[in-house]
Amino acid sequence: MLAIIGGTGLTQLANLEITHRQVIRSPFGEPSGAITFGRLRQHEVMFIARHGYGHTIPPHEVNYRANLWALHEQGAKRVISVAAVGGIRADLSPGTIVLPDQIIDYTSGRSFTYFDGRESPVTHIDFTQPYSQKLRQQILQAAKLAKVQCLDGGVYAVTQGPRLETAAEINRLERDGADMVGMTGMPEASLAKELGLDYAAIAVVVNHAAGRGSSRNGVHLETISAVAQPAMANVRSILECVVESDDN
Ligand code: HPA
């Protein structure tokens, strides 16, 4: 089954016909909320709001391990993560939808692995390609069908938050090769990989990164939701086409 993790601006799927909600307990603590089960264009999907349904859990306090574990335990095979980001690359202006293909992790102090038990053997995962290429292609195809522009590829820098970055930090991220910056891409992506899930992210640019474009003198946080709303409507259209396009 397909699971969707909604981020800022997507705490629920308006087009989801809800069948039930399920509270899941995980060995890693509480997920961000109950998992919502429902049908999207007649296809069964599950949904969880990363920051909680009331948007109260900040990025560094999201229990990524519990969320991914719960989705996996409920039978998710594929996970599409939706995340709001700031645009660093010049063409990533507010309202743009982009499918990142790489990640640089700048987070710290988060619980980032399932493989930390003393009793189990040391386990490494290959993370050369952090996202499922197959799922990325399905999303790109779905975006075409939905007639929604979706840029293919970009490096997602994941910062610790909850504060935004300084202009100098954004310059450094750009020198590192980052195209966009957000706070929730990790450890979500590597945990999904540890569980063997097919995982991809749809990033929605909700502001120019600090010091760039309209954020030259500061990021206007009050404009973010006005940008996110129409863009998330486009994301919903893409998701409908993703579930239509295959066996789910
Ligand atoms: N920086 C970090 N995270 C973000 C941003 C940003 O500019 N916009 C949305 N999430």
Side-chain angles (χ1 to χ4, degrees):
M1 199 192 295
L2 174 71
I4 296 157
I5 303 177
T8 300
L10 196 74
T11 46
Q12 49 191 358
L13 279 181
N15 46 355
L16 184 69
E17 225 180 278
I18 296 173
T19 51
H20 62 289
R21 289 197 172 85
Q22 178 102 33
V23 175
I24 311 286
R25 308 224 178 282
S26 99
F28 305 96
E30 296 284 306
S32 297
I35 298 180
T36 304
F37 290 82
R39 286 191 207 90
L40 201 54
R41 295 248 183 119
Q42 308 304 320
H43 298 270
E44 306 228 337
V45 301
M46 53 181 113
F47 177 85
I48 189 165
R50 183 186 289 115
H51 300 286
Y53 291 95
H55 205 271
T56 52
I57 309 169
H60 63 288
E61 282 184 2
V62 171
N63 191 337
Y64 297 94
R65 291 199 301 181
N67 286 353
L68 271 301
W69 188 93
L71 296 174
H72 182 252
E73 200 255 346
Q74 288 298 303
K77 299 276 181 272
R78 305 183 302 161
V79 177
I80 298 180
S81 154
V82 183
V85 296
I88 301 176
R89 206 171 73 201
D91 62 329
L92 297 185
S93 51
T96 307
I97 297 175
V98 54
L99 281 202
D101 61 354
Q102 279 296 332
I103 295 175
I104 305 178
D105 184 8
Y106 298 92
T107 64
S108 58
R110 302 184 180 188
S111 296
F112 59 89
T113 183
Y114 295 110
F115 298 136
D116 59 0
R118 298 269 159 204
E119 35 326 301
S120 44
V122 176
T123 309
H124 301 288
I125 53 158
D126 171 43
F127 203 45
T128 312
Q129 298 297 338
Y131 298 113
S132 158
Q133 294 305 321
K134 185 170 164 226
L135 186 52
R136 287 186 73 261
Q137 291 311 319
Q138 284 173 344
I139 297 168
L140 288 169
Q141 199 56 41
K144 265 194 202 139
L145 286 175
K147 298 190 173 33
V148 171
Q149 199 193 18
C150 179
L151 302 185
D152 179 8
V155 178
Y156 176 174
V158 192
T159 54
Q160 176 69 355
R163 69 164 177 85
L164 299 184
E165 300 70 36
T166 65
E169 285 171 337
I170 294 299
N171 290 340
R172 178 178 78 133
L173 296 184
E174 185 173 51
R175 286 195 300 277
D176 283 355
D179 298 307
M180 68 200 90
V181 57
M183 300 174 190
T184 56
M186 285 292 287
E188 204 174 80
S190 54
L191 290 168
K193 194 87 154 193
E194 286 188 354
L195 291 174
L197 292 162
D198 267 341
Y199 175 93
I202 301 178
V204 176
V205 181
V206 292
N207 59 280
H208 283 116
R212 302 293 159 101
S214 55
S215 303
R216 193 179 339 271
N217 298 315
V219 178
H220 304 286
L221 294 166
E222 68 286 358
T223 63
I224 284 181
S225 89
V227 175
Q229 266 177 28
M232 290 304 172
N234 283 332
V235 169
R236 290 191 188 99
S237 309
I238 296 175
L239 293 172
E240 284 184 359
C241 287
V242 171
V243 293
E244 289 266 272
S245 69
D246 74 355
D247 45 39
N248 201 18

